[in-house]
């Protein structure tokens, strides 16, 4: 059973994907981390994320980088959204994501193109979204918890930039799959969003864990 969870930055898709993985007893892959690792790799090597060659070289990162707390920063998120527009980078990271998706017991993947490109045959697809101001406020609170102080207006501007880049790129743009169920979490708390997500997925795959 493959569950695809897509949506824009800070929509709650990561929290929802982790909760779905727990509920259905299957592993979860946050595919944004792969692009964040690539973005940070380019910056650390002194390269420019907009340079396709530098980005492609960085996409061959060591798995240990996936545990680096620096991947959570907005710097990494911004670099990720730039390297992720290169078709070569996306192609390089594709196999790894597909292998994870096809694991025997099933999997939950969250990202931008899971239901459209990585696993178009997923058993259940969610498109999780929320208003930009709400997403910025959530992201701001999360950054504060991590000890990173960024003004709310900067976080909101970053989110808007990222939305525009993710939706506007030619390679696998952020778009709701035709067969995805939309979940707007703007007016839901975490428990409410998770319950709604479980309900939507259960409607497609049945209520009990796989
Ligand atoms: O989800 P997260 O904010 O960690 O993703 C960081 C960036 O990586 C996104 O803004 C997007 O540009 C890119 N990304 C992508 N495809 C995915 C996951 C993330 O292009 N499947």
């Amino acid at each position: 059973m493959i569950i695809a969870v897509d949506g824009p930055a800070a929509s709650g898709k990561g929290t929802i994907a982790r909760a779905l993985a727990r509920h259905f007893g299957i592993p979860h892959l946050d595919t944004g981390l792969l692009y964040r690792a690539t973005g940070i790799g380019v910056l650390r090597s002194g390269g420019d994320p907009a340079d396709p060659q530098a980005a492609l070289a960085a996409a061959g990162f060591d798995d240990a980088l996936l545990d680096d707390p620096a991947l959570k920063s907005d710097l990494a998120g911004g670099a990720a959204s730039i390297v992720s527009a290169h078709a070569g980078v996306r192609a390089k990271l594709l196999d790894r994501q597909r292998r994870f998706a096809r694991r025997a017991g099933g999997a939950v993947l969250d990202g931008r193109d899971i239901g459209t490109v990585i696993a178009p045959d997923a058993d259940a697809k969610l498109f999780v979204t929320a208003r930009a101001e709400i997403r910025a406020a959530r992201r701001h609170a999360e950054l504060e918890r991590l000890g990173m102080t960024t003004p709310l207006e900067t976080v909101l501007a970053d989110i808007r930039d990222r939305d525009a880049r993710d939706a506007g790129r030619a390679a696998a743009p952020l778009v709701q799959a035709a067969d995805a169920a939309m979940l707007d979490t703007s007016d839901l708390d975490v428990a409410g969003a998770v319950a709604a997500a479980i309900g939507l997925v259960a409607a497609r795959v049945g209520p009990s864990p796989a």
Side-chain angles (χ1 to χ4, degrees):
M1 170 174 74
I2 302 175
I3 303 175
V5 182
D6 290 302
S11 56
K13 66 185 185 312
T15 303
I16 285 173
R18 279 190 298 277
L20 287 170
R22 261 196 313 278
H23 180 83
F24 289 97
I26 53 181
H28 163 237
L29 178 65
D30 169 2
T31 64
L33 282 182
L34 307 179
Y35 293 94
R36 286 170 177 264
T38 305
I40 277 283
V42 177
L43 296 179
R44 286 183 178 164
S45 67
D48 177 358
D51 170 4
Q53 295 311 321
L56 189 58
F61 58 80
D62 193 293
D63 273 3
L65 182 55
L66 296 173
D67 297 319
D68 191 324
L71 296 194
K72 297 282 171 210
S73 70
D74 265 5
L75 184 69
S81 103
I82 297 172
V83 297
S84 69
H86 301 306
V89 168
R90 304 202 73 86
K92 185 150 185 173
L93 298 177
L94 184 86
D95 269 2
R96 180 176 190 154
Q97 296 174 77
R98 286 220 170 123
R99 272 200 309 277
F100 192 94
R102 308 229 159 105
R103 286 158 81 128
V108 181
L109 288 85
D110 79 81
R112 301 292 188 290
D113 62 341
I114 309 304
T116 50
V117 175
I118 304 297
D121 54 342
D123 302 273
K125 300 180 185 178
L126 292 184
F127 191 80
V128 181
T129 189
R131 292 189 294 278
E133 294 75 12
I134 302 256
R135 291 188 282 125
R138 288 179 187 158
R139 185 73 190 128
H140 183 252
E142 187 186 347
L143 288 172
E144 288 210 321
R145 271 198 302 280
L146 293 169
M148 302 176 200
T149 44
T150 313
L152 180 59
E153 310 80 70
T154 309
V155 178
L156 178 57
D158 283 354
I159 284 213
R160 291 210 158 109
D161 279 357
R162 221 134 56 89
D163 284 356
R165 269 201 300 269
D166 289 352
R169 69 183 176 218
L174 172 66
V175 62
Q176 180 177 352
D179 52 350
M182 144 87 89
L183 175 57
D184 187 328
T185 65
S186 298
D187 302 312
L188 297 173
D189 60 11
V190 171
V194 165
I198 290 174
L200 287 168
V201 172
R204 303 270 173 107
V205 301
S208 53

